[in-house]
Amino acid sequence: SDLIKWLAEQQGMGFQVAISFLAEKAGIHMEQKAHTLTPPRTASHKRRHIADSEQVVDLKELDKLRDDVCWRMASGNFPRELESFIGRRGIDRTTVIGLAAAGQLGLSPKGSLVYVYPHGAKVRGDYASSRGDRWLMGKARGNLWRGNELAHDLVDNVFVCEGETDLLKLMACRPEGIQDAYVAVPGSSNATLTPMDAYRMAAERTVYLLFDRDDAGQKAQLEMAQCLHNESPCCVVRGLDWGMIPDSVGDIGEMEIGMVKKIIEFCVDL
């Protein structure tokens, strides 16, 4: 109990996160409960909270929000703006509907994309740009979109994008195998990892940091690489060398699909 208290106070872990962290360190496998998409619920629920990375989230309310927005997206009835958006970005409908069925991507009542995180949810403010994005629940700090994918034992390769839209394009261009996990940080200014995510990501895996070419993206990429090396010397960290990519614009979301398909060829060891 003293160790759990220390992890909570010094590392910002909630009780369940601390238990899982200690179990994995001890080589004990804990079953991960898969999310099953169900129609929106209206019944009241008891509140339960998780404290992690300076945030407190009502998980029952998050479950309710997830069911609502993901059920709407999984129906396949996309608004015109979304159809245009995924067409411009090279994102296919199968990827979008699959993420909705997994409880990770939804549609707001007003037709905006909702990215559902393990500890929060963020709505895209404008299809033309990322301006106006806001958190409905939770905070950006320490959050990874699709971070729960890191818990699977069979994962050998982790692909990390700066921004959810870039990740959607990457997933559409590169078929996801059972050995691959695709995650995103909300942006370069929020490219931080919780102790649990850092531990899971660095556990004898190859991590590809596919951040933007600008100064903020490159700085965040190097800082995350250092964090992963500190966590595990066995972790292989690779990052994009934008100078190797012909006619690159410095953003995966704006790259030609052919370039995205072979993007790991443009990575170097960090």
Side-chain angles (χ1 to χ4, degrees), residues 158-199:
V158 181
F159 297 87
V160 187
C161 282
E162 179 187 337
E164 304 90 348
T165 303
D166 284 2
L167 189 68
L168 286 173
K169 183 167 186 176
L170 180 68
M171 293 179 68
C173 295
R174 295 184 58 82
E176 183 176 21
I178 195 170
Q179 75 280 6
D180 299 325
Y182 291 82
V183 301
V185 296
S188 58
S189 61
N190 294 301
T192 56
L193 297 172
T194 65
M196 174 61 82
D197 284 339
Y199 166 70

Side-chain angles (χ1 to χ4, degrees), residues 111-156:
S112 300
L113 280 174
V114 179
Y115 303 106
V116 184
Y117 282 67
H119 302 152
K122 186 176 81 169
V123 62
R124 185 181 178 91
D126 188 340
Y127 282 117
S129 70
S130 60
R131 290 190 298 273
D133 289 5
R134 69 184 190 281
W135 285 86
L136 299 177
M137 301 181 70
K139 297 180 181 179
R141 183 173 177 79
N143 254 320
L144 279 178
W145 187 45
R146 305 190 77 241
N148 50 345
E149 301 297 314
L150 298 175
H152 301 308
D153 295 335
L154 296 179
V155 169
D156 292 324

Side-chain angles (χ1 to χ4, degrees), residues 32-219:
Q32 300 291 325
K33 183 179 179 181
H35 175 75
T36 302
L37 191 63
T38 57
R41 296 170 292 180
T42 57
S44 61
H45 301 283
K46 292 183 179 179
R47 292 170 63 86
R48 57 192 174 99
H49 298 84
I50 182 165
D52 196 6
S53 190
E54 303 176 3
Q55 59 190 308
V56 178
V57 175
D58 184 335
L59 293 184
K60 286 295 186 182
E61 289 300 317
L62 180 59
D63 287 345
K64 183 178 178 181
L65 173 68
R66 178 191 291 115
D67 287 344
D68 182 23
V69 299
C70 294
W71 184 264
R72 189 177 294 111
M73 177 69 84
S75 69
N77 297 319
F78 297 171
R80 184 185 308 170
E81 294 84 356
L82 178 56
E83 292 280 12
S84 176
F85 172 75
I86 64 177
R88 291 196 313 271
R89 292 296 186 123
I91 303 166
D92 59 42
R93 291 174 62 93
T94 303
T95 299
V96 171
I97 293 176
L99 289 170
Q104 298 167 344
L105 184 65
L107 197 62
S108 76
K110 294 184 178 181
S112 300
L113 280 174
V114 179
Y115 303 106
V116 184
Y117 282 67
H119 302 152
K122 186 176 81 169
V123 62
R124 185 181 178 91
D126 188 340
Y127 282 117
S129 70
S130 60
R131 290 190 298 273
D133 289 5
R134 69 184 190 281
W135 285 86
L136 299 177
M137 301 181 70
K139 297 180 181 179
R141 183 173 177 79
N143 254 320
L144 279 178
W145 187 45
R146 305 190 77 241
N148 50 345
E149 301 297 314
L150 298 175
H152 301 308
D153 295 335
L154 296 179
V155 169
D156 292 324
N157 306 303
V158 181
F159 297 87
V160 187
C161 282
E162 179 187 337
E164 304 90 348
T165 303
D166 284 2
L167 189 68
L168 286 173
K169 183 167 186 176
L170 180 68
M171 293 179 68
C173 295
R174 295 184 58 82
E176 183 176 21
I178 195 170
Q179 75 280 6
D180 299 325
Y182 291 82
V183 301
V185 296
S188 58
S189 61
N190 294 301
T192 56
L193 297 172
T194 65
M196 174 61 82
D197 284 339
Y199 166 70
R200 286 174 169 169
M201 193 182 292
E204 298 184 12
R205 291 168 170 169
T206 300
V207 181
Y208 295 90
L209 303 180
L210 311 179
F211 286 31
D212 292 351
R213 186 179 188 175
D214 58 22
D215 290 342
Q218 294 304 292
K219 180 175 182 290

